[in-house]
Amino acid sequence: MTVLPKPDIAATVRRVPSGAGLISDQELAPIGQFIDGEFRPGSSGQLIDVVDPCTEKTIAQVPAGTTDDVDRAVAAAVKAKHGWGRLTPKERSLVLLQIADRVEQHSDLLVRLESANAGKPIGVSQDDVSSTVDTFRFFAGAARSATSQAAGNYAENHLSVIIREPLGVVGVVTPWNYPLLMAAWKIAPILAAGNALVIKPSEQTPLTTLKFAELVADLLPAGVLNVVTGTGPVVGARLSEHPDIDMIALTGSVNSGRAVARGAAESLKRVHLELGGKAPVVVFDDADLAAAASSIRAGGYWNSGQECGAACRVLVHESVAGEFVQHLVDEVCTLVVGEPGAGEDVEIGPMVSRAHFERVKGYLERAEAAGIKAAVGGSVLDGPGFFVAPTVLVDVPDGAEVATQEIFGPVVTVQTFADEAEAVTRANAGPYGLSASVFTENARRSHDVAAQLDAGTVWVNSHLVLATEAPWGGFKGSGYGRDLSIYALDDYSRTKHVMHNHGR
Ligand code: NAD
C-alpha cells in the first residue's frame, strides 16, 4: 500500500487551564465495603490508592478487600436472597425503575466521577450513565414479560409446568474500561431475575460502583446488593470459589476469565464470561470508503480505544487500500486529545493507568522497531498523565502482534486482502470472537460474509452501535454468556420442570 507522508498534526494534550478537579471529596461514597446495606470498614484496614490518570494524583482510597470481607458479603446476600427472589416481577420491576430514576437524578455527579477516575472524555461518561439508566429501565420491563414454554401434557396424564427461578447469589467482577456501565449490565438482569449479588469493581476504578451503592441503598433490601473492593487475586478469586455463590460473572481479560473458571470448577458453579476482543473490520472494494472511515473513527477510538469491541483491525481490499487509508487518516486527525475537564469536544483521554500506558507504549515501540509505519500518531504524548496519540498503523504484516493481540488503546491497524475468501479466513483467525464488521454495498456479501464471521455481534456498514434489547457477548476466547437483552435474564435464572400426575 502506498503510504502518504505522515500529517504534521503532532497531537498535544489539551489541559484544564485552572487545574480544577472534576469532583470534591464530599461527593465520594464513604470509605468502606458496602455490605448488608451499609458501608463498613474493611477487615484488613489496608487501603488501595485510586489514581486520576490525567494527573497521576491519588484522588481517593478504598479498602483492600480480604476473603473475610467477601465471606461477610456473601453471608448477607444469602440471608437476603429468599426475600428478594420471592417478590413478584412487578415488585422487583418497580425497584429497578426507581434505581433508574435515582441514577438519572445524579447523572451529572456520576459523569464527573467516572471521568475523574477513568479519565474518560465527558461525552463517553455521559453515554455510559444514560446507558446505565436505560439498562435498568429495560430490565424492569423484561422482568415482567419473561415467558417460558407453555404448560402442557407432554407425557400421558402428566401436566408439565416450566418455571424460571433465580439462581440465588451471583458473584460479579467488573473491569476498568466502563466501570458503572459494566456494573449495570450485570446488576440489572441479576436483580430482575430475583438474585442477590456481591460485586467487585476493578481496583483501579471503584468510585462509581460505590457511589451507585450509596445512591440506591434505601431502594433495595439490605444484603441484596453488596460491593467489596479489592484486587482480583484476593476478592475476585474468593468470589469465584465461594461455595455459597451460585454463579460467577466476569467482564475482563481472557486471563482473568481463565482464573475465574478455574476457581469456579471445584464448586461447579455456573460461569458467565465477557472477555477480550480484537474486532476485524472488513472493507470491500465496493464499500463507501468515506463512510467506513467515519465509522472506524467512532468505533475504533471511542473510550480512547479501551473498548473490547473496538474497530481496531481493519482488513481492506488491496485495490482501495490507499484511498481508504487517506480517508481514515483525515478522520483521525480531527480527534481532540485532552483531559475530560478541558471541554466537551475532547474525544481521546488517557490510558487508565501507568501499567496499561506502558503496555500500549511497548506495542507501539516494538511495531516501529519491526518496520511497521504509522500513517498518523504512533507514539505516546507528554505527561503528566497516560496519553497516547491516536494512531493508524499501515503495512502491518500478517501475524504481527499489533494485529493479533488486544492493544486496548487508540490504535487501529490496516492490512490488505485480495479476495472475499481470504478476507473471511483472516478475519476469523485468532483467539477472539466478540465482534466484527463488514463494509460493502453488495447485498449478497452483506449477508454471506456476516454469516461466516465467527463473532457474537456482526455489524454491516456500521460498528459499535449497541442496543439494550440485543444480546452482547462473544464466541471462542471472548467467552460465553450474554449481557443485555432477554438472553441475560435467561443466563441469570434457571428452569425448573414441575410435573403433575393428574391420572386416575
Ligand atoms: P482484567 O481482567 O485485568 O480485570 C477485570 C476484573 O477482573 C478486575 O476487577 C480484576 O480485579 C479482576 N481480576 C483480575 N484477576 C482476577 C482473578 N485471578 N480472579 C478474579 N478476578 C480477577 O481486565 P481489565 O484490564 O480491567 O479490563 C480490560 C479487559 O476487559 C479487556 O480484555 C477487555 O476486552 C475486557 N472487556 C470485555 C468486555 C465484554 O463485554 N466482552 C467489556 C469490557 C471489557
Side-chain angles (χ1 to χ4, degrees), residues 112-124:
R112 286 186 288 109
L113 196 51
E114 198 73 303
S115 286
N117 190 169
K120 280 170 182 271
I122 292 291
V124 177

Side-chain angles (χ1 to χ4, degrees), residues 107-411:
S107 291
D108 171 64
L109 167 59
L110 290 165
V111 165
R112 286 186 288 109
L113 196 51
E114 198 73 303
S115 286
N117 190 169
K120 280 170 182 271
I122 292 291
V124 177
S125 294
Q126 284 170 339
D127 189 71
D128 288 4
V129 174
S130 63
S131 300
T132 295
V133 172
D134 188 57
T135 301
F136 279 97
R137 292 200 174 131
F138 170 78
F139 282 106
R144 297 186 69 178
S145 51
T147 55
S148 61
Q149 184 183 334
N153 285 289
Y154 301 107
E156 191 179 351
N157 289 333
H158 282 74
L159 175 69
S160 288
V161 179
I162 313 295
I163 296 168
R164 269 214 171 265
E165 298 184 335
L167 297 171
V169 177
V170 182
V172 177
V173 179
T174 50
W176 49 257
N177 62 338
Y178 294 98
L180 181 66
L181 186 58
M182 291 303 103
W185 281 17
K186 307 292 186 207
I187 295 171
I190 287 170
L191 293 181
N195 305 283
L197 72 139
V198 180
I199 181 168
K200 186 202 92 62
S202 166
E203 54 275 40
Q204 297 171 70
T205 54
L207 301 186
T208 47
T209 306
L210 290 166
K211 192 71 199 176
F212 172 86
E214 184 192 6
L215 289 173
V216 306
D218 62 315
L219 302 177
L220 284 164
V224 170
L225 166 71
N226 305 276
V227 184
V228 178
T229 55
T231 64
V234 177
V235 176
R238 181 63 182 151
L239 288 172
S240 311
E241 71 185 14
H242 201 294
D244 294 336
I245 288 187
D246 302 284
M247 177 191 249
I248 178 83
L250 170 126
T251 298
S253 61
V254 172
N255 275 342
S256 301
R258 285 197 188 102
V260 158
R262 273 195 300 269
E266 194 56 38
S267 59
L268 291 173
K269 63 171 57 69
R270 294 179 188 213
V271 180
H272 189 281
L273 299 175
E274 296 289 352
L275 308 178
K278 185 78 182 173
V281 180
V282 183
V283 182
F284 284 99
D285 48 356
D286 58 51
D288 178 337
L289 299 181
S294 168
S295 283
I296 295 164
R297 179 193 191 279
Y301 298 90
W302 181 255
N303 204 32
S304 316
Q306 300 172 122
E307 158 63 57
C308 49
C312 57
R313 181 161 70 98
V314 175
L315 298 163
V316 57
H317 190 268
E318 58 192 11
S319 66
V320 294
E323 191 188 340
F324 167 78
V325 168
Q326 186 59 61
H327 283 296
L328 186 56
V329 168
D330 290 347
E331 290 282 354
V332 171
C333 288
T334 64
L335 290 165
V336 177
V337 183
E339 299 181 5
E344 295 207 1
D345 57 335
V346 168
E347 289 179 89
I348 303 287
M351 302 296 93
V352 76
S353 64
R354 163 73 55 193
H356 184 49
F357 171 80
E358 295 295 341
R359 246 187 101 248
V360 176
K361 185 172 163 216
Y363 277 117
L364 293 176
E365 287 171 352
R366 290 191 297 279
E368 188 179 11
I372 295 171
K373 297 189 195 77
V376 61
S379 58
V380 301
L381 299 170
D382 288 343
F386 312 128
F387 294 90
V388 174
T391 296
V392 176
L393 297 177
V394 294
D395 285 345
V396 179
D398 216 16
E401 64 167 15
V402 283
T404 54
Q405 296 179 20
E406 195 179 32
I407 300 175
F408 230 55
V411 181

Side-chain angles (χ1 to χ4, degrees), residues 30-48:
I31 295 181
Q33 307 289 23
F34 185 75
I35 296 176
D36 211 7
E38 289 175 21
F39 283 92
R40 297 153 191 264
S43 63
S44 76
Q46 291 186 333
L47 298 171
I48 297 174

